[in-house]
Amino acid sequence: MASLTLGLLLPPLLLILYFVQKNFGRLRPLNAIPNAHPTVPFSSIWLISIRYRKRENRTVWDAHKRLGPVVRLAPEEVSVCTLDGLKTIYGDWEKNAWYEAFINYGTPPLVAKIHSGPHSAHKRLFSNVYSKSYVQNSSDISAFNSRILTKKVLPKIATSATTGASIDVLRLNMAFSMDTVSAYEFGSAYGTDFLDDEDACLHFLKAFAVVKNGFFWAGRLPTLTQNLERIGINLVAQAALDGQAYMENMCWKLCSLVHAAIENNSIDPTSTAPVVYAQRLSSQTKSTEKTTPSPIEGPDFLRKSVASDMLCHLIAGHETSGINLTYAMYELSMHPEFQTALRAELRSINPPLLFPPSTYGRSAFSPSIVIPPSAIPRALDALPLLNATLYETLRLYPPGAAGQPRVAPRGGAMLHGFMLPEGVVAHAAPYSVHRNEEVFERAEEWLPERWMGERKKEVAEWFWSFGSGSRGCIGKAFAIQEMLVMLAAVYTNYSSHIVDAEGIEPVDEFIAGPRAGKLILRFEKVG
């Protein structure tokens, strides 16, 4: 009887709420914005539903195509798909509580710093080692790239080419991305070895997948999740908590190994430097020395703060770069004529990345040839076809496809002609932004030539895979350089061919990797 009464009363109550809000509420200015669904002015259920069912990216883009550049997704949430809107939202608007889902060890990393002041201060602790000039000139990156490519990646592909065996390149690319990112963070002797340790790689990837799915409610309804937790109701599955604990424990062990080596001045002489960890630890130590520690931070705060950033970069770096490399290899396999042209371009650099080096008189991989660390990165950075391959793949398959929320500032703000009251959430999704047909003609097609044509500048201005400004991805330069060198090393020497691309379409969620979780290719040696 009670449920029947509630069922009868709920519709009129919702109508009353809608009427009051529409005509008298703080959100009245949002009534001028087209609604993506009839229920969005008075309920967030529709938006939560499409996110939970993994239908957000395509649904929001369809709404923009029907309704225009600004659409309302929930009572206090809008999506924008204009360049001016991007610049407004991601100029100086603050983040919201969604980012707190990225906290590790109970301590927020850079990405989870909500307010701009603390975020800027935190970023200064180690942003210098992620600058493009630093990354391009790093002898450490040059050293571990050469080792990882010639001792691990290229031999695996060479075996495939010799035996005809196929390779799951999604797993290969994620392992490569994890091993390079961890080598830069901790040093090559202290990072992961996922390319050779398949069990460790699979264990981590499985734990990470469970965590991504299990923390949905904590990310999308953080206040409700926290309030329910206080009364013993946990919306986060135990498997996700166990997965998070596993990843934190793994990263803590890596941090502890290199921390002890730094403290004892006993870094393995065969290792590259622990560039990111050492910089982050040193800066945090100096910063802490100048301030009075808070009692709530505890004695391990410094190490937890550093470890939180290290884990965040391991997670972000391995997944996004691994996904994009996989889609680049997929498209190159689908376009053999472009692949051939790319190989000719790659072999034009001096010295080329020919493998195995003993076969050739002059190869960048030859130990007898000494070249500056910046030579290969700068040479690859100047190749139009290679860069077009990478950027067009990032455009069509942005790994972080959904919008990253920001909050309208005090006093509200104008957004593309609409007034947004203070506190309203707004965002732009790379998936939508990169499909604007006015900028990207035939937007659903992989057309790398768009990055070399007359509209190259306009196309680049609309590129949004890494965000922009002070809150943009800190690891952008490192990620781009590593993806370029991986593609260059592979396609200088081998051609790729599709064996199994079933399920290659991106899943429709925030991080949009292949639905099937794989891409199977075979490789052939090219003389």
Side-chain angles (χ1 to χ4, degrees):
M1 181 63 71
S3 61
L4 177 60
T5 303
L6 180 61
L8 292 173
L9 290 177
L10 189 57
L13 286 174
L14 288 175
L15 286 173
I16 293 170
L17 176 63
Y18 172 60
F19 178 81
V20 172
Q21 183 172 278
K22 180 176 181 179
N23 295 285
F24 303 103
R26 177 181 69 86
L27 302 178
R28 184 171 57 179
L30 298 185
N31 294 332
I33 300 175
N35 298 319
H37 188 270
T39 62
V40 301
F42 55 90
S43 172
S44 299
I45 292 176
W46 174 79
L47 180 58
I48 293 170
S49 171
I50 63 170
R51 284 172 171 164
Y52 185 76
R53 291 178 295 143
K54 299 181 180 181
R55 297 181 181 179
E56 177 181 3
N57 300 324
R58 292 179 180 84
T59 303
V60 171
W61 173 229
D62 286 342
H64 278 296
K65 288 190 289 186
R66 287 186 293 109
L67 303 170
V70 182
V71 295
R72 192 177 185 181
L73 304 178
E76 299 193 42
E77 187 162 343
V78 302
S79 174
V80 65
C81 190
T82 69
L83 193 57
D84 288 342
L86 291 174
K87 293 177 179 178
T88 299
I89 294 171
Y90 298 99
D92 57 2
W93 289 18
E94 301 282 23
K95 296 180 176 180
N96 73 347
W98 176 72
Y99 290 89
E100 293 177 354
F102 296 97
I103 290 176
N104 309 305
Y105 309 102
T107 305
L110 176 65
V111 71
K113 292 288 184 178
I114 302 298
H115 301 295
S116 56
H119 181 278
S120 296
H122 194 121
K123 190 174 184 178
R124 285 195 294 271
L125 296 174
F126 59 147
S127 59
N128 62 310
V129 298
Y130 278 115
S131 70
K132 184 174 181 177
S133 60
Y134 192 102
V135 167
Q136 282 192 336
N137 288 284
S138 172
S139 58
D140 293 292
I141 295 177
S142 176
F144 67 65
N145 273 345
S146 180
R147 176 177 175 273
I148 289 172
L149 289 169
T150 60
K151 302 299 183 184
K152 298 175 183 292
V153 173
L154 293 173
K156 291 179 186 298
I157 294 177
T159 299
S160 167
T162 301
T163 65
S166 56
I167 295 178
D168 180 356
V169 294
L170 178 61
R171 188 179 301 174
L172 175 76
N173 289 325
M174 285 193 171
F176 166 78
S177 299
M178 177 64 90
D179 287 355
T180 53
V181 124
S182 67
Y184 195 43
E185 289 189 354
F186 304 113
S188 56
Y190 303 94
T192 61
D193 188 19
F194 282 4
L195 282 163
D196 282 347
D197 192 340
E198 187 174 352
D199 288 341
C201 180
L202 286 175
H203 198 166
F204 179 87
L205 293 178
K206 287 179 180 177
F208 180 56
V210 171
V211 169
K212 279 203 307 181
N213 291 326
F215 278 81
F216 174 84
W217 299 110
R220 294 304 181 184
L221 295 173
T223 303
L224 175 63
T225 301
Q226 292 165 12
N227 289 337
L228 289 176
E229 188 176 345
R230 293 188 182 99
I231 60 173
I233 301 174
N234 200 334
L235 296 181
V236 180
Q238 185 59 48
L241 296 173
D242 293 343
Q244 179 69 20
Y246 170 81
M247 293 192 301
E248 289 188 359
N249 184 54
M250 185 201 83
C251 183
W252 189 262
K253 288 179 179 178
L254 298 178
C255 290
S256 297
L257 283 172
V258 74
H259 191 91
I262 292 173
E263 281 195 330
N264 300 326
N265 196 26
S266 59
I267 292 290
D268 187 329
T270 67
S271 178
T272 57
V275 176
V276 182
Y277 187 91
Q279 173 64 32
R280 180 69 175 78
L281 178 67
S282 173
S283 299
Q284 182 74 38
T285 302
K286 292 175 183 177
S287 176
T288 303
E289 289 173 351
K290 297 177 183 178
T291 59
T292 303
S294 168
I296 65 172
E297 291 176 348
D300 288 335
F301 170 74
L302 188 150
R303 290 188 62 187
K304 285 182 177 178
S305 178
V306 177
S308 186
D309 274 315
M310 298 302 103
L311 179 54
C312 184
H313 292 190
L314 289 178
I315 290 172
H318 93 273
E319 186 180 33
T320 54
S321 293
I323 288 171
N324 193 68
L325 283 169
T326 300
Y327 278 120
M329 290 181 175
Y330 167 72
E331 289 292 353
L332 286 170
S333 301
M334 292 287 287
H335 297 84
E337 72 293 339
F338 190 89
Q339 188 181 145
T340 300
L342 173 62
R343 186 171 300 106
E345 179 184 78
L346 290 170
R347 292 190 171 191
S348 71
I349 68 171
N350 188 22
L353 296 171
L354 294 169
F355 179 83
S358 59
T359 307
Y360 304 94
R362 184 170 179 80
S363 167
F365 290 135
S366 174
S368 63
I369 296 178
V370 179
I371 57 175
S374 65
I376 295 301
R378 292 184 188 281
L380 299 182
D381 197 36
L383 297 180
L385 293 180
L386 177 63
N387 281 268
T389 298
L390 180 65
Y391 280 91
E392 178 64 356
T393 306
L394 282 164
R395 180 201 69 81
L396 187 58
Y397 305 100
Q404 299 187 27
R406 296 292 189 269
V407 180
R410 180 175 298 179
M414 293 297 297
L415 184 66
H416 206 272
F418 297 105
M419 179 63 191
L420 267 59
E422 174 183 336
V424 167
V425 173
H427 49 74
Y431 186 94
S432 296
V433 171
H434 290 171
R435 280 166 170 72
N436 187 334
E437 286 280 352
E438 294 181 2
V439 180
F440 304 103
E441 187 178 354
R442 294 159 63 190
E444 295 289 349
E445 299 179 42
W446 189 78
L447 301 173
E449 56 266 28
R450 74 173 82 247
W451 295 89
M452 299 178 288
E454 297 178 355
R455 301 183 64 187
K456 176 182 176 180
K457 183 177 180 181
E458 181 184 12
V459 167
E461 194 173 22
W462 278 77
F463 178 73
W464 203 250
S465 286
F466 293 95
S468 66
S470 62
R471 300 292 188 100
C473 176
I474 191 174
K476 175 182 177 180
F478 179 83
I480 288 176
Q481 181 168 304
E482 293 306 285
M483 289 187 285
L484 288 176
V485 76
M486 175 64 157
L487 291 173
V490 172
Y491 286 97
T492 294
N493 300 283
Y494 301 94
S495 61
S496 64
H497 309 271
I498 291 174
V499 174
D500 180 4
E502 183 180 1
I504 190 63
E505 65 275 7
V507 292
D508 196 345
E509 58 184 339
F510 183 74
I511 300 296
R515 179 179 57 81
K518 63 177 175 62
L519 172 64
I520 311 300
L521 302 181
R522 65 176 177 84
F523 293 87
E524 292 183 5
K525 187 77 173 89
V526 180

